[in-house]
Amino acid sequence: MRARTRLAVGAVGALTAAGLLTGCGDAGSSGTDAPQQGATGAGCAPVAGDQLVVLDDDKKLQNTDNVIPAVNADVATPQLVAALDKVSTALDTPKLIQLNKAVDVDRKTPEVAAKEFATANDLTAGIAKGPGGQIVVGAGNFSESQTLAELYKITLTAAGYQVRVQQIGSRELYEPALEKGEIQVVPEYAATMAEFLNTKANGQNAQPVSSPELEKTVTALKAAGDKVGIAFGAPSAAQDQNAFAVTKAFADKYGVSTLSDLAAKCSGQATVLAGPPECPQRPKCQAGLVEVYDFKAGSFSSLDAGGPQTKNALKTGAASVGLVFSSDGALATG
């Protein structure tokens, strides 16, 4: 699984990247019983193909795991936050996919990919100088976090700070360091971080505070951050969260572009859903597809969480639909 595992948020962070074992379900929820399938229709047999496409989550099963800068409150000057917000303004999910493709597929370093993105998007234009000083940008133990950290380094350097990026690991390691000021900035994911702080303060069975509505999630996130000395900048439009993908050939053959389409046209015996072993019980994976969309797969293939096994099963025609992460570089179309 990605280090930031998003399967559990809602009630993100695997990170594939980002160290949070939040899995496919609500925070503190593990689940023990697989949902009843009831797949009595014909369903949609897998269709092999090289290009993957994400089906639109039109009923908002997933929460809002938008990329957002987290900052130690002691250094969160207006100029520093404004410099970080330049990254948020420039990013959306298609651009994040391309950044991940540059690193994970094209094998560029996060630093090189970030520099190219900054140049192409004029990222340092108009950045006001701050008071300066040493800033350590922490990064999770996956490439997306490292690339985002390099983007923050570029804008903070333009704002007059002396910046270095330090890879720290999972959220369990870097969040306490952020609170203490051992690092000053880290790229975060709104819903996953909101639930991390929520369960840290209120226990693993705390009522979830994140939401499919970004404004509500960010409000809850900032309230939780205020209690531990962490401020947050503006959320970007870029999201890295659970998503369900099919091959383009599958989408074209069966005429599906949304999860509602999938449920209406492909519930049935021939449909194979692929994902991690815990997917059938998780509210943000198969259990959620059943509850929110009334989608009933004919069978479930236990593979990985958005990893090479699931993507290979889709491409080779072993699975109809599979759990992926919405910013995966494998989803790039160009």
Side-chain angles (χ1 to χ4, degrees), residues 195-212:
E195 294 306 339
F196 181 88
L197 293 176
N198 177 35
T199 56
K200 183 177 179 179
N202 302 308
Q204 288 301 310
N205 294 318
Q207 182 68 25
V209 297
S210 58
S211 165

Side-chain angles (χ1 to χ4, degrees), residues 23-111:
C24 273
D26 290 319
S29 169
S30 61
T32 56
D33 298 319
Q36 295 298 313
Q37 301 304 308
T40 57
C44 298
V47 181
D50 291 333
Q51 184 177 340
L52 301 182
V53 295
V54 166
L55 299 177
D56 181 46
D57 181 14
D58 53 308
K59 292 184 180 179
K60 306 300 181 186
L61 169 62
Q62 307 300 337
N63 285 341
T64 43
D65 246 335
N66 297 58
V67 174
I68 189 170
V71 187
N72 177 273
D74 290 339
V75 301
T77 63
Q79 298 95 332
L80 183 142
V81 174
L84 297 171
D85 286 350
K86 286 280 289 186
V87 177
S88 294
T89 299
L91 271 181
D92 58 20
T93 303
K95 288 180 180 178
L96 186 56
I97 289 172
Q98 290 295 333
L99 273 170
N100 286 332
K101 176 180 180 292
V103 176
D104 299 332
V105 178
D106 300 336
R107 298 303 177 187
K108 297 178 181 178
T109 66
E111 183 178 13

Side-chain angles (χ1 to χ4, degrees), residues 6 9 12 57 60-69 85 88-89 91-93 188-195 209-223 232-241:
R6 303 187 184 288
V9 167
V12 108
D57 181 14
K60 306 300 181 186
L61 169 62
Q62 307 300 337
N63 285 341
T64 43
D65 246 335
N66 297 58
V67 174
I68 189 170
D85 286 350
S88 294
T89 299
L91 271 181
D92 58 20
T93 303
E188 260 301 348
Y189 301 87
T192 297
M193 184 59 162
E195 294 306 339
V209 297
S210 58
S211 165
E213 297 179 37
L214 179 59
E215 184 177 353
K216 290 183 178 179
T217 295
V218 173
T219 296
L221 174 63
K222 289 184 175 180
F232 295 91
S236 74
Q239 294 182 324
D240 183 350
Q241 58 195 34

Side-chain angles (χ1 to χ4, degrees), residues 256-327:
V256 297
S257 61
T258 68
L259 289 175
S260 288
D261 291 339
L262 183 75
K265 298 179 180 182
C266 293
S267 288
Q269 292 297 324
T271 303
V272 180
L273 171 65
E278 67 270 27
C279 179
Q281 294 83 28
R282 301 298 177 136
K284 299 303 177 184
C285 206
Q286 187 175 12
L289 290 174
V290 173
E291 180 178 359
V292 175
Y293 287 98
D294 195 28
F295 168 67
K296 299 178 179 67
S299 60
F300 175 72
S301 180
S302 179
L303 298 173
D304 54 16
Q309 294 176 4
T310 295
K311 287 179 283 189
N312 186 62
L314 291 169
K315 291 181 177 182
T316 60
S320 306
V321 57
L323 179 81
V324 298
F325 294 101
S326 62
S327 64

